[in-house]
Each structure stands twice: as structure tokens, then as C-alpha cells.
Amino acid sequence: MTIRKRIQGSATRPLLITLIVVIVIAALGFIYASPYLAVNNLKRAADARDVQTVNQYVDFPALRDSLKQQVGAMLTRRLEADAGNKMATIGAVIGVTLIGPLVDAYATPDGVAALLNGMPPRGTPGEQPSAPPAAGGEAPAAPAAGDTTTQASAPPPGRQSTAGYRSLNEFVVTYRRGEGNANYSAIFRREGLVTWKLAAINLNE
């Protein structure tokens, strides 16, 4: 009886080891894929204006701080570039006073949807996030040029984006803006083992 049990134990041990290895590989695969799943889930929720789900995937205080810094830097560069044009300079100064409202507009599900559809803020006074693409339609590509209305224009089709780990705890989705080789990026940061949240935007990637 003891010999039979030993034989059975020897036979089942390789199966148990194989099962453990499969479980470990599956767990590692899920951990690796978790930011890709987070980006996909957030984009779908933002496009559908599912506020509860969006809140699960966005660190809004961190995103607001990032937007404030990025938009402020954008307007500063515009001021320096337009230093010889008084009207342009006046417009840029007015834009500086509107950083708060612009940040408020983009630190929302509407703003998140625009950011994840290739439509970042341009720093235009009164700018509002563009609407997401219609269900079943093509996602818009890059921000429109020269629109100064309160609603940003829909970008042309053919948006290009890449996604990948920048570090163990940072995952970046980079979008081509369609203005030369200029890009911008949405930055996700890890919270826990498989939880990722949109925490920052880089408008000058």
C-alpha cells in the first residue's frame, strides 16, 4: 500500500509542478498586460461618458497638476515665439489667465476622451474638448490646426499611436499630433500590482 502511494505521488508531482508553472505564467502575463487593459477600458468608458468607470482609471488631482504645468509651458512658449507681434502677445497673455478654465475642461470625462482620441488641448482661449468619435466610426487622429472656437475641430483620420512601458511603474501612450513630428503622450502610473491610472499628460513629447 505504501509503495502504491509513493508511485501515485511520483506520478502526480510533475502534473502539479506543470500546473503551478502555468498559473505563474498566466499571472505574469496578466500583470504585464494590465496597463494595456486599463488604457482600453478607460478609453471605452470615457467615450461612453461612464463617469464611475473613468474615476477608477484617472488620478484627477495628478492629471490637473500635469495639465496646469503643460498648458502653462505651452502658453509661455507661445509668448516667447510671438514676442514681436503685440496682438499675438496680448492673446497669449489672455490665454494665461484662462489656464484654470482650460484645465477644468480637460480634467473631466470629456477631456479624458479627447486626450485618448488624439485631441490634446492647444491652449486656445475658450477651448473645450472635442466630442469622441461616433460609435462604430473611426477614432480621430490628431488635433486640428487653427481652430479658435470654443469647440475644437475634429482631427483628420489616420491617427497613429504607440504604447509601452517607460519603467516598471510607468506606462506611456504616445500620439502623433500631425504637426511635423510633434507628439504628445498620456502617462499611466501603477497603483498596486495590476491597477493603473492616467496621471499625467506631456504635450511636448
Short mmCIF file of all heavy atoms in Angstrom, two decimals, residues 135-182:
data_model
loop_
_atom_site.label_atom_id
_atom_site.label_comp_id
_atom_site.label_asym_id
_atom_site.label_seq_id
_atom_site.Cartn_x
_atom_site.Cartn_y
_atom_site.Cartn_z
N ALA A 135 -20.06 56.00 -32.39
CA ALA A 135 -19.93 54.56 -32.18
C ALA A 135 -19.78 53.86 -33.52
O ALA A 135 -20.54 54.10 -34.46
CB ALA A 135 -21.17 54.03 -31.46
N GLY A 136 -18.76 53.02 -33.61
CA GLY A 136 -18.51 52.28 -34.83
C GLY A 136 -17.72 53.05 -35.86
O GLY A 136 -17.34 52.51 -36.89
N GLY A 137 -17.45 54.35 -35.56
CA GLY A 137 -16.70 55.15 -36.52
C GLY A 137 -15.23 55.09 -36.22
O GLY A 137 -14.78 54.51 -35.24
N GLU A 138 -14.45 55.74 -37.06
CA GLU A 138 -13.01 55.78 -36.88
C GLU A 138 -12.66 56.76 -35.78
O GLU A 138 -13.26 57.84 -35.68
CB GLU A 138 -12.33 56.21 -38.17
CG GLU A 138 -12.38 55.15 -39.27
CD GLU A 138 -11.59 53.92 -38.89
OE1 GLU A 138 -10.55 54.06 -38.23
OE2 GLU A 138 -12.01 52.82 -39.24
N ALA A 139 -11.72 56.40 -34.95
CA ALA A 139 -11.24 57.33 -33.94
C ALA A 139 -10.49 58.46 -34.61
O ALA A 139 -9.75 58.24 -35.57
CB ALA A 139 -10.31 56.61 -32.96
N PRO A 140 -10.68 59.71 -34.13
CA PRO A 140 -9.96 60.80 -34.74
C PRO A 140 -8.48 60.70 -34.50
O PRO A 140 -8.03 60.01 -33.61
CB PRO A 140 -10.55 62.04 -34.07
CG PRO A 140 -11.16 61.54 -32.83
CD PRO A 140 -11.55 60.13 -33.08
N ALA A 141 -7.71 61.42 -35.29
CA ALA A 141 -6.29 61.20 -35.29
C ALA A 141 -5.51 62.21 -34.50
O ALA A 141 -4.95 61.89 -33.48
CB ALA A 141 -5.79 61.18 -36.72
N ALA A 142 -5.42 63.43 -34.93
CA ALA A 142 -4.55 64.40 -34.32
C ALA A 142 -5.32 65.68 -34.14
O ALA A 142 -6.36 65.88 -34.75
CB ALA A 142 -3.33 64.63 -35.22
N PRO A 143 -4.84 66.61 -33.30
CA PRO A 143 -5.56 67.84 -33.08
C PRO A 143 -5.65 68.69 -34.33
O PRO A 143 -4.75 68.70 -35.15
CB PRO A 143 -4.73 68.54 -31.99
CG PRO A 143 -3.39 67.95 -32.12
CD PRO A 143 -3.57 66.55 -32.58
N ALA A 144 -6.74 69.40 -34.46
CA ALA A 144 -6.92 70.26 -35.62
C ALA A 144 -6.07 71.51 -35.48
O ALA A 144 -5.73 71.93 -34.39
CB ALA A 144 -8.40 70.64 -35.75
N ALA A 145 -5.75 72.10 -36.61
CA ALA A 145 -4.90 73.29 -36.59
C ALA A 145 -5.74 74.53 -36.80
O ALA A 145 -6.61 74.56 -37.66
CB ALA A 145 -3.84 73.18 -37.70
N GLY A 146 -5.46 75.55 -35.97
CA GLY A 146 -6.01 76.87 -36.21
C GLY A 146 -7.44 77.08 -35.81
O GLY A 146 -8.06 78.05 -36.23
N ASP A 147 -8.05 76.21 -35.00
CA ASP A 147 -9.43 76.41 -34.60
C ASP A 147 -9.47 77.21 -33.32
O ASP A 147 -8.95 76.78 -32.30
CB ASP A 147 -10.11 75.04 -34.40
CG ASP A 147 -11.60 75.17 -34.17
OD1 ASP A 147 -12.07 76.32 -34.06
OD2 ASP A 147 -12.28 74.14 -34.13
N THR A 148 -10.11 78.36 -33.34
CA THR A 148 -10.17 79.21 -32.15
C THR A 148 -11.57 79.27 -31.58
O THR A 148 -11.86 80.08 -30.71
CB THR A 148 -9.72 80.64 -32.49
OG1 THR A 148 -10.55 81.15 -33.54
CG2 THR A 148 -8.26 80.65 -32.95
N THR A 149 -12.47 78.38 -32.03
CA THR A 149 -13.80 78.35 -31.46
C THR A 149 -13.78 77.62 -30.14
O THR A 149 -12.79 76.98 -29.77
CB THR A 149 -14.78 77.65 -32.42
OG1 THR A 149 -14.32 76.30 -32.61
CG2 THR A 149 -14.82 78.34 -33.76
N THR A 150 -14.90 77.68 -29.42
CA THR A 150 -14.93 77.05 -28.11
C THR A 150 -14.90 75.54 -28.22
O THR A 150 -14.54 74.86 -27.27
CB THR A 150 -16.21 77.46 -27.34
OG1 THR A 150 -17.35 77.14 -28.14
CG2 THR A 150 -16.17 78.95 -27.06
N GLN A 151 -15.28 74.97 -29.36
CA GLN A 151 -15.22 73.53 -29.56
C GLN A 151 -14.11 73.22 -30.54
O GLN A 151 -14.12 73.70 -31.66
CB GLN A 151 -16.56 73.01 -30.11
CG GLN A 151 -16.58 71.51 -30.33
CD GLN A 151 -16.65 70.75 -29.04
OE1 GLN A 151 -17.08 71.28 -28.03
NE2 GLN A 151 -16.25 69.52 -29.05
N ALA A 152 -13.13 72.44 -30.13
CA ALA A 152 -12.01 72.12 -31.01
C ALA A 152 -12.51 71.31 -32.19
O ALA A 152 -13.43 70.51 -32.07
CB ALA A 152 -10.94 71.36 -30.25
N SER A 153 -11.91 71.50 -33.37
CA SER A 153 -12.32 70.77 -34.56
C SER A 153 -11.90 69.32 -34.46
O SER A 153 -10.91 68.99 -33.83
CB SER A 153 -11.67 71.39 -35.80
OG SER A 153 -12.09 72.72 -35.98
N ALA A 154 -12.66 68.46 -35.16
CA ALA A 154 -12.30 67.05 -35.21
C ALA A 154 -11.04 66.91 -36.04
O ALA A 154 -10.92 67.50 -37.11
CB ALA A 154 -13.43 66.25 -35.83
N PRO A 155 -10.07 66.11 -35.58
CA PRO A 155 -8.82 65.95 -36.31
C PRO A 155 -9.01 65.03 -37.50
O PRO A 155 -9.97 64.30 -37.58
CB PRO A 155 -7.89 65.32 -35.28
CG PRO A 155 -8.80 64.61 -34.36
CD PRO A 155 -10.07 65.40 -34.32
N PRO A 156 -8.08 65.05 -38.44
CA PRO A 156 -8.19 64.18 -39.61
C PRO A 156 -8.00 62.73 -39.24
O PRO A 156 -7.43 62.42 -38.20
CB PRO A 156 -7.05 64.67 -40.51
CG PRO A 156 -6.06 65.27 -39.58
CD PRO A 156 -6.87 65.88 -38.47
N PRO A 157 -8.50 61.79 -40.08
CA PRO A 157 -8.32 60.37 -39.80
C PRO A 157 -6.86 59.97 -39.92
O PRO A 157 -6.05 60.71 -40.45
CB PRO A 157 -9.19 59.68 -40.86
CG PRO A 157 -9.25 60.67 -41.97
CD PRO A 157 -9.24 62.02 -41.32
N GLY A 158 -6.57 58.74 -39.48
CA GLY A 158 -5.21 58.22 -39.61
C GLY A 158 -4.35 58.45 -38.39
O GLY A 158 -3.14 58.47 -38.49
N ARG A 159 -4.97 58.65 -37.23
CA ARG A 159 -4.19 58.86 -36.00
C ARG A 159 -3.24 57.69 -35.77
O ARG A 159 -3.60 56.54 -35.95
CB ARG A 159 -5.15 58.98 -34.81
CG ARG A 159 -4.45 58.93 -33.46
CD ARG A 159 -5.44 59.08 -32.33
NE ARG A 159 -6.43 58.03 -32.31
CZ ARG A 159 -6.25 56.85 -31.70
NH1 ARG A 159 -5.13 56.58 -31.09
NH2 ARG A 159 -7.21 55.95 -31.70
N GLN A 160 -2.03 58.02 -35.37
CA GLN A 160 -1.05 56.99 -35.05
C GLN A 160 -0.69 57.09 -33.57
O GLN A 160 -0.51 58.19 -33.04
CB GLN A 160 0.21 57.16 -35.91
CG GLN A 160 -0.05 56.99 -37.40
CD GLN A 160 1.21 57.17 -38.21
OE1 GLN A 160 2.27 57.46 -37.67
NE2 GLN A 160 1.11 57.01 -39.51
N SER A 161 -0.59 55.96 -32.93
CA SER A 161 -0.20 55.97 -31.52
C SER A 161 0.63 54.73 -31.23
O SER A 161 0.51 53.71 -31.91
CB SER A 161 -1.43 56.01 -30.60
OG SER A 161 -2.20 54.83 -30.74
N THR A 162 1.47 54.85 -30.24
CA THR A 162 2.26 53.72 -29.76
C THR A 162 2.12 53.66 -28.24
O THR A 162 1.86 54.69 -27.59
CB THR A 162 3.75 53.86 -30.12
OG1 THR A 162 4.25 55.10 -29.59
CG2 THR A 162 3.94 53.87 -31.63
N ALA A 163 2.27 52.49 -27.68
CA ALA A 163 2.12 52.32 -26.23
C ALA A 163 3.16 51.35 -25.73
O ALA A 163 3.54 50.40 -26.42
CB ALA A 163 0.72 51.81 -25.90
N GLY A 164 3.64 51.61 -24.52
CA GLY A 164 4.62 50.70 -23.93
C GLY A 164 5.08 51.17 -22.57
O GLY A 164 4.79 52.30 -22.15
N TYR A 165 5.79 50.29 -21.88
CA TYR A 165 6.34 50.61 -20.57
C TYR A 165 7.49 51.59 -20.71
O TYR A 165 8.36 51.41 -21.56
CB TYR A 165 6.86 49.35 -19.89
CG TYR A 165 5.80 48.46 -19.28
CD1 TYR A 165 5.16 47.49 -20.05
CD2 TYR A 165 5.45 48.58 -17.93
CE1 TYR A 165 4.19 46.66 -19.49
CE2 TYR A 165 4.49 47.76 -17.37
CZ TYR A 165 3.86 46.80 -18.15
OH TYR A 165 2.90 45.99 -17.59
N ARG A 166 7.50 52.63 -19.89
CA ARG A 166 8.65 53.50 -19.79
C ARG A 166 9.51 53.07 -18.61
O ARG A 166 10.74 53.26 -18.61
CB ARG A 166 8.21 54.96 -19.63
CG ARG A 166 9.35 55.94 -19.51
CD ARG A 166 8.86 57.39 -19.62
NE ARG A 166 8.46 57.71 -20.99
CZ ARG A 166 7.92 58.88 -21.32
NH1 ARG A 166 7.69 59.80 -20.41
NH2 ARG A 166 7.59 59.11 -22.58
N SER A 167 8.88 52.51 -17.61
CA SER A 167 9.57 51.94 -16.46
C SER A 167 8.64 50.91 -15.84
O SER A 167 7.53 50.69 -16.35
CB SER A 167 9.95 53.03 -15.43
OG SER A 167 8.79 53.57 -14.83
N LEU A 168 9.06 50.29 -14.76
CA LEU A 168 8.24 49.27 -14.12
C LEU A 168 6.89 49.81 -13.69
O LEU A 168 5.88 49.09 -13.75
CB LEU A 168 8.98 48.69 -12.91
CG LEU A 168 8.29 47.53 -12.18
CD1 LEU A 168 8.14 46.33 -13.10
CD2 LEU A 168 9.08 47.15 -10.93
N ASN A 169 6.85 51.07 -13.29
CA ASN A 169 5.62 51.64 -12.75
C ASN A 169 5.04 52.76 -13.60
O ASN A 169 4.16 53.49 -13.16
CB ASN A 169 5.88 52.18 -11.33
CG ASN A 169 6.26 51.08 -10.36
OD1 ASN A 169 5.63 50.02 -10.33
ND2 ASN A 169 7.30 51.31 -9.57
N GLU A 170 5.52 52.89 -14.84
CA GLU A 170 5.01 53.96 -15.71
C GLU A 170 4.79 53.40 -17.11
O GLU A 170 5.66 52.76 -17.69
CB GLU A 170 5.99 55.12 -15.75
CG GLU A 170 5.43 56.38 -16.41
CD GLU A 170 6.32 57.58 -16.17
OE1 GLU A 170 6.15 58.26 -15.14
OE2 GLU A 170 7.20 57.83 -17.02
N PHE A 171 3.61 53.67 -17.64
CA PHE A 171 3.21 53.18 -18.97
C PHE A 171 2.76 54.39 -19.78
O PHE A 171 2.00 55.23 -19.29
CB PHE A 171 2.06 52.18 -18.82
CG PHE A 171 1.65 51.51 -20.12
CD1 PHE A 171 2.31 50.39 -20.58
CD2 PHE A 171 0.57 52.01 -20.85
CE1 PHE A 171 1.93 49.77 -21.76
CE2 PHE A 171 0.19 51.40 -22.03
CZ PHE A 171 0.86 50.27 -22.48
N VAL A 172 3.23 54.50 -21.02
CA VAL A 172 3.01 55.71 -21.81
C VAL A 172 2.36 55.38 -23.15
O VAL A 172 2.79 54.46 -23.86
CB VAL A 172 4.34 56.45 -22.05
CG1 VAL A 172 4.13 57.70 -22.89
CG2 VAL A 172 4.99 56.82 -20.72
N VAL A 173 1.31 56.13 -23.48
CA VAL A 173 0.70 56.07 -24.80
C VAL A 173 1.06 57.36 -25.53
O VAL A 173 0.73 58.45 -25.06
CB VAL A 173 -0.83 55.93 -24.73
CG1 VAL A 173 -1.41 55.78 -26.13
CG2 VAL A 173 -1.23 54.75 -23.85
N THR A 174 1.77 57.24 -26.65
CA THR A 174 2.25 58.41 -27.39
C THR A 174 1.46 58.56 -28.68
O THR A 174 1.27 57.60 -29.42
CB THR A 174 3.75 58.28 -27.71
OG1 THR A 174 4.47 58.15 -26.48
CG2 THR A 174 4.25 59.51 -28.45
N TYR A 175 1.00 59.79 -28.94
CA TYR A 175 0.19 60.10 -30.12
C TYR A 175 0.95 61.05 -31.03
O TYR A 175 1.57 61.99 -30.56
CB TYR A 175 -1.13 60.77 -29.71
CG TYR A 175 -1.99 59.94 -28.79
CD1 TYR A 175 -1.78 59.96 -27.41
CD2 TYR A 175 -3.01 59.14 -29.29
CE1 TYR A 175 -2.57 59.20 -26.57
CE2 TYR A 175 -3.80 58.38 -28.44
CZ TYR A 175 -3.58 58.42 -27.09
OH TYR A 175 -4.35 57.67 -26.24
N ARG A 176 0.84 60.82 -32.34
CA ARG A 176 1.40 61.75 -33.31
C ARG A 176 0.38 62.84 -33.57
O ARG A 176 -0.78 62.55 -33.87
CB ARG A 176 1.74 61.03 -34.61
CG ARG A 176 2.50 61.91 -35.61
CD ARG A 176 2.93 61.10 -36.83
NE ARG A 176 3.81 60.00 -36.44
CZ ARG A 176 5.10 60.13 -36.17
NH1 ARG A 176 5.66 61.33 -36.22
NH2 ARG A 176 5.82 59.09 -35.83
N ARG A 177 0.80 64.09 -33.44
CA ARG A 177 -0.14 65.21 -33.49
C ARG A 177 -0.42 65.71 -34.89
O ARG A 177 -1.33 66.49 -35.10
CB ARG A 177 0.39 66.38 -32.65
CG ARG A 177 0.62 66.01 -31.21
CD ARG A 177 1.25 67.12 -30.41
NE ARG A 177 0.32 68.21 -30.18
CZ ARG A 177 0.61 69.25 -29.40
NH1 ARG A 177 1.78 69.33 -28.81
NH2 ARG A 177 -0.27 70.21 -29.22
N GLY A 178 0.35 65.28 -35.87
CA GLY A 178 0.11 65.73 -37.23
C GLY A 178 0.71 67.09 -37.53
O GLY A 178 0.44 67.67 -38.56
N GLU A 179 1.52 67.62 -36.64
CA GLU A 179 2.19 68.89 -36.87
C GLU A 179 3.69 68.61 -36.96
O GLU A 179 4.40 68.61 -35.98
CB GLU A 179 1.91 69.86 -35.73
CG GLU A 179 0.43 70.17 -35.55
CD GLU A 179 0.18 71.01 -34.32
OE1 GLU A 179 1.16 71.37 -33.64
OE2 GLU A 179 -0.98 71.31 -34.04
N GLY A 180 4.17 68.31 -38.14
CA GLY A 180 5.55 67.88 -38.28
C GLY A 180 5.72 66.54 -37.60
O GLY A 180 4.98 65.60 -37.83
N ASN A 181 6.70 66.45 -36.72
CA ASN A 181 6.93 65.22 -35.97
C ASN A 181 6.55 65.37 -34.50
O ASN A 181 6.98 64.61 -33.65
CB ASN A 181 8.41 64.82 -36.07
CG ASN A 181 8.78 64.40 -37.48
OD1 ASN A 181 8.01 63.72 -38.14
ND2 ASN A 181 9.94 64.84 -37.95
N ALA A 182 5.74 66.40 -34.19
CA ALA A 182 5.38 66.66 -32.79
C ALA A 182 4.47 65.55 -32.26
O ALA A 182 3.54 65.11 -32.93
CB ALA A 182 4.68 68.01 -32.68
#
